[in-house]
Amino acid sequence: MCGIVGAASHRNIVPVLVQGLQRLEYRGYDSCGVAVHAGGSLSRTRTTSRVADLLAQVQEDKVEGLTGIAHTRWATHGAPAVHNAHPHFSRGPNEGPDSSKPARVALVHNGIIENHEALREALEARGYVFASQTDTEVIAHLIDSHYDGDLFEAVKATVKQLHGAYAIAAICRNEPHRVVGARAGSPLILGVGQGGEGENFLASDAMALAGVTDQIIYLEEGDVVDLQPGKYWIVDRAHKSVTRPVRQVVAHSGAAELGPYRHYMQKEIFEQPRAIADTLEGVHGVVPELFDGLPQDGQKSSAANAHRVFQNIDKVLILACGTSYYSGCTAKYWLEAIAKIPTQVEIASEYRYRESVPDPRTLVVTISQSGETADTLAALKHARSLGMEETLTICNVATSAMVRECKLAYITRAGVEIGVASTKAFTTQLAGLFLLTLALAQAKGRLSAEEEASYLKQMRHLPVALQSVLALEPQIISWAEDFARKENALFLGRGLHYPIALEGALKLKEVTYIHAEAYAAGELKHGPLALVTSEMPVVTVAPNDALVEKLKSNMQEVRARGGVLYVLADADTHIESSEGIHVIRMPEHYGALSPLLHVVPLQLLAYHTACARGTDVDKPRNLAKSVTVE
């Protein structure tokens, strides 16, 4: 979602700002812009095109500056349009966007200001003229209204009036070497410059500063930061001076090479054998200490030892959104069947807004690719406020807010995922959750040495098994040619594979814009069967498990209504291709770990259908990679 980059330097900083935006493109956005202090005034360039177009504009206009801010916007308040794009200006009261008066304040913002309407009314009463429909412009005018020669003080006064989530960066015409930032509810980091340039940076993600600095300070809730070339200082929510630790963070650029692939989504699907192997690297046995995580400034002490936590909990509560939620739904089957632990899976955005029954002996598990998902972070804080203090995250980013907020962590090693539709992050989450299941079972004395050895052997074989599944791509392409002409689809699964059907439907929706729904196959006759016609393809996940005969009956219900089936079947299910039934044989049956294999053809189906329909595969409309607003 929205991305921020800011810098104060003694060199032209525009190339660094734009490069930072390019590295944040994977988040998803619909406009972008940059503002710099140049020649005693503020200069701004904005576009609803890609960052590459922004770069061409600033080069053509010869935009240069030593201090500046930049932003990629995913629209919330106001349509994707240039006048709503960041950075936003304030020229002072009674000065509209067409005024010749130079702007005094420029601002970029991630998050949502919940009281923006009341603030807008008060500012308009004072003569401020609004040029956009955004909540962000309110902040720019507020800073201007408080400005009395000191931008840092103006920002401190402004944030006291803001309700909601925000990460902001502001510059001022009157203070050419200064950038001021603040955060509450949205991530913001300070990059400490290296070398002789004496520069410092702000960003919403360390990746934006890859190659510029690896010295990172993670600002905490309520912090306000003032940075200038060669120096910076931070105050906390009470506006008292504080020192935050500097960490060395090796962030990899999002501008990874595509190699032989057409899109990042395809590349990331094919990276899954490597991603699973990396995620399982060093796992020689299932021990709870795998989940002790990485030390975070003393937050994870020996008191948070996973073995002690696992022995003392009675339940598991999983909090997640989107694809991560479906990985949690899959894990519920494992946790209850193998570890014998009652498990509840909640959509994070819903959980915090309903009355629930807390239990202090619950392990709260969050799942997030980015570790910055606003809804999941808020749900985690809500669970802790109810007295559930034992927390663990399955996350792909070791330096994220989620990892810092949880006592325990398992860091997946999917690598940077640029395609908005998650693929390798999902399968590595499943791998981490299966290890969690085994660790909990072991801590509870419910996993024998023989069972542990058998499960670990299967997990180590996963990369090879995934390679065999990827070899099915030509057959999937044939299916995709049929799907590209459809506007609706059904996905069916039973038991452990019902969440995989849900994930398959989500992938198809995300990148092809085909309406797709998933159901537990036994629910067909309770309503969805009314939708089935020859124009409604029905994808069926059919492993050779205890429910396969029930599933065959559900498939016959579809065929009897003229529906066309597309079946992913294990070799020994005795499901054959015939009129109206298209079968792709999976290379092998994989027992409890079968979901990791069956989801891959569904990813490929979505990808190749999107290619056939000509959609923007890696940046589907209206979606963002990292959802940092509620």
Side-chain angles (χ1 to χ4, degrees), residues 6 26 70 85 115 165 179 200 220 275 297 319 339 350 434 458 501 505 558:
Y26 75 99
N115 61 331
V179 180
N200 290 303
E220 297 188 12
D297 304 325
L319 303 172
E350 292 291 317
F434 193 77
Q458 291 181 60
V558 172

Side-chain angles (χ1 to χ4, degrees), residues 110-193:
N110 290 354
I112 291 177
I113 304 304
E114 295 173 356
N115 61 331
H116 71 98
E117 291 177 340
L119 293 172
R120 178 184 284 252
E121 288 180 9
L123 287 162
E124 286 175 333
R126 296 179 60 180
Y128 282 91
V129 179
F130 284 78
S132 76
Q133 288 80 50
T134 68
D135 54 337
T136 298
E137 193 178 1
V138 165
I139 311 173
H141 290 320
L142 268 179
I143 292 172
D144 183 87
S145 72
H146 288 294
Y147 187 76
D148 189 23
D150 190 324
L151 182 62
F152 191 53
E153 293 301 320
V155 170
K156 287 196 294 182
T158 295
V159 297
K160 289 181 179 179
Q161 295 179 257
L162 303 180
H163 300 159
Y166 58 82
I168 61 173
I171 56 177
C172 179
R173 183 185 76 235
N174 301 342
E175 300 178 68
H177 298 296
R178 197 177 202 182
V179 180
V180 177
R183 66 145 302 201
S186 289
L188 191 67
I189 64 169
L190 166 63
V192 181

Side-chain angles (χ1 to χ4, degrees), residues 3 61 88 154 176 191 198 205 248 255 305-306 331 334 401-402 405 450 501 512 534 546 548 552 570 583 612 630:
D61 297 341
H88 285 285
D205 188 325
Q248 185 170 359
N305 178 269
W334 291 332
M402 203 76 71
E405 290 287 337
E450 293 78 12
T512 72
S534 60
V548 69
K552 288 179 182 179
D570 287 345
V583 178
E630 185 177 354

Side-chain angles (χ1 to χ4, degrees), residues 50-109:
R50 295 299 182 194
V51 175
D53 297 285
L54 178 69
L55 176 60
Q57 270 186 252
V58 298
Q59 289 174 337
E60 182 180 344
D61 297 341
K62 295 182 172 56
V63 176
E64 296 183 353
L66 309 182
T67 303
I69 52 178
H71 192 264
T72 52
R73 175 181 186 251
W74 186 82
T76 53
H77 295 73
V82 171
H83 68 277
N84 287 325
H86 300 211
H88 285 285
F89 275 177
S90 180
R91 292 181 167 83
N94 305 311
E95 302 291 343
D98 299 325
S99 169
S100 60
K101 182 179 178 180
R104 182 159 67 172
V105 172
L107 175 109
V108 294
H109 162 231

Side-chain angles (χ1 to χ4, degrees), residues 432-564:
L433 288 162
F434 193 77
L435 281 174
L436 173 62
T437 299
L438 300 184
L440 283 164
Q442 187 198 70
K444 295 289 190 180
R446 296 164 187 163
L447 185 71
S448 69
E450 293 78 12
E451 289 171 325
E452 176 185 344
S454 175
Y455 282 130
L456 286 176
K457 182 179 179 180
Q458 291 181 60
M459 294 197 79
R460 293 191 187 102
H461 182 62
L462 274 172
V464 174
L466 285 166
Q467 289 286 10
S468 298
V469 176
L470 290 167
L472 300 172
E473 187 179 33
Q475 298 176 61
I476 299 294
I477 292 172
S478 176
W479 281 14
E481 292 169 356
D482 293 343
F483 275 71
R485 298 188 292 270
K486 308 298 183 182
E487 293 301 327
N488 300 280
L490 285 177
F491 287 70
L492 303 178
R494 295 205 72 150
L496 185 60
H497 293 80
Y498 169 46
I500 299 307
L502 288 164
E503 173 62 9
L506 177 63
K507 284 292 153 288
L508 197 70
K509 280 182 279 200
E510 285 179 312
V511 298
T512 72
Y513 316 143
I514 293 172
H515 170 243
E517 293 187 64
Y519 291 92
E523 286 294 290
L524 264 180
K525 52 186 156 298
H526 297 290
L529 203 56
L531 298 172
V532 172
T533 71
S534 60
E535 291 301 305
M536 174 77 81
V538 180
V539 181
T540 308
V541 182
N544 188 22
D545 59 16
L547 291 170
V548 69
E549 295 303 324
K550 299 287 186 184
L551 185 62
K552 288 179 182 179
S553 297
N554 303 139
M555 291 166 55
Q556 289 304 315
E557 294 167 0
V558 172
R559 285 299 300 130
R561 274 78 180 176
V564 180

